[in-house]
Each structure stands twice: as structure tokens, then as C-alpha cells.
Amino acid sequence: MEYLPSAVRSSTVYERSRGTAGSVGGREEEVEEDVEEEPPSPLFYLPALIKGHMTEAMVDSGSGVNAIDEAYALSIGCHLTNLKRPLHLRFGNGTQVSVTKLTNVYMRLGSRLTIRVQLRVIPHMPVCNVILGSRFLRHYDPIIRWSKGYMRIHGVRIPFLDCELPSQELQRAGVLVVDPT
């Protein structure tokens, strides 16, 4: 069984912080404790052109499949092929879905790189139209420059999109959202 887990599988980052443990013998004692801090942004989106239509493709290393929302795929004219047997997926929020179709598309990422990718067609996919999962990442083995906001595939620089989804929408979709405050 393959899973499409939550869109975030963030690693934990620890920050040392100082606090007071209280009064010991009339004086306050300072102690260090580990405090979890959310990484900069575990999700990022790439500009993607599919069949002449621009969209945002979410890159999700926690997803076992590359996927496209069924309604979106139909609206842009993708040819859908039936799978021989259904694939059962589960989102991070526990929602399960049976996938019975796939599509092969040419997708332009950024302004210069066109790739051919097979996408599982998911009915009512939450959060975004396209997910590029671990299969995409393993196949293209991109260099990801988190601090600079881009990824490089075959020498082509593809900038991340500046888009944030509201925490409530991500949580409904099963994405773990940690409030850093």
C-alpha cells in the first residue's frame, strides 16, 4: 500500500533558551532547556505549466506519489487512464481515498525546464492542484537551496513561489502545522 501522508514531514530543530527555574535558597537559578522551533518552511511550491495552464506544484518529500487533483486535471484537458487495480492512499489527517486513474503530462517548471511526469489522479485533493512527491525528488535529484529560495534540476534554476496557505486550511488537509509562538 502506498500512502500520501501529510504534506509536512519536518525535522525538529532545537534552540537553546534560557529561563529561570525558580528560587533556590533565596536566589533565582538560571537553567537551559530545549525548545522546539519550527524549521523555516517545510513546504515549498514551484511554478508549473501543464497543458498551457499555470498552477502551483507543491513539493512534498513525505508524499509517496506524484499527484494531480481530478477536477483540475479534467478542467485542463488531461487524458486520464484507468489503473488495473485501485491504489489506496491515506492523507495525514486520516482521510482515505482510492485512486483509479493516472495521467502522463509534460510539465514546465519555472521558465525553462520541461519534464514528463506521471501523476496519480486524486479526487478532491486538498490544498493544491499538483503534488510532486518523493518519486519526483528521487528521479530528478534536485539541489535545493532553502536559504536562497530555489531548486536546481539539470542545471536549471527554478525559484520557489512566495505563497503561504493559511494554517487552518493546511490542518484540514492533514498537514502538521506547529505554531512557533
Side-chain angles (χ1 to χ4, degrees):
M1 181 183 284
E2 264 182 277
Y3 294 102
L4 181 65
S6 76
V8 176
R9 286 245 176 134
S10 60
S11 57
T12 303
V13 176
Y14 289 95
E15 177 186 272
R16 305 293 287 184
S17 70
R18 294 199 170 283
T20 58
S23 182
V24 176
R27 65 182 167 82
E28 288 196 356
E29 193 173 302
E30 205 169 290
V31 296
E32 288 189 23
E33 61 184 45
D34 287 334
V35 177
E36 286 189 31
E37 183 180 284
E38 186 179 6
S41 178
L43 295 176
F44 66 93
Y45 299 81
L46 300 175
L49 183 73
I50 305 171
K51 299 184 86 49
H53 299 270
M54 281 302 295
T55 192
E56 294 136 5
M58 181 173 69
V59 178
D60 178 9
S61 64
S63 172
V65 297
N66 299 320
I68 189 167
D69 178 71
E70 184 173 32
Y72 180 72
L74 291 171
S75 75
I76 63 172
C78 291
H79 174 73
L80 307 185
T81 304
N82 289 323
L83 295 172
K84 290 181 182 172
R85 57 184 175 196
L87 175 65
H88 304 285
L89 304 178
R90 183 176 59 194
F91 290 96
N93 65 359
T95 304
Q96 294 185 353
V97 64
S98 289
V99 177
T100 60
K101 298 176 179 112
L102 64 83
T103 187
N104 293 294
V105 297
Y106 286 96
M107 180 184 308
R108 190 177 79 204
L109 297 174
S111 60
R112 297 186 5 213
L113 179 69
T114 300
I115 62 170
R116 184 175 181 270
V117 64
Q118 185 176 80
L119 302 168
R120 305 296 181 185
V121 179
I122 298 180
H124 314 292
M125 190 164 73
V127 180
C128 60
N129 291 327
V130 176
I131 294 175
L132 299 174
S134 59
R135 290 180 182 211
F136 163 81
L137 292 168
R138 280 193 307 270
H139 182 79
Y140 289 100
D141 196 20
I143 297 169
I144 300 174
R145 298 294 309 267
W146 293 101
S147 63
K148 304 286 185 192
Y150 70 88
M151 82 170 12
R152 192 175 293 277
I153 300 175
H154 300 308
V156 177
R157 185 177 184 269
I158 306 161
F160 302 164
L161 291 172
D162 277 336
C163 63
E164 293 276 333
L165 291 174
S167 294
Q168 294 162 339
E169 187 175 338
L170 289 171
Q171 287 172 337
R172 278 195 302 275
V175 175
L176 172 67
V177 178
V178 178
D179 184 359
T181 57

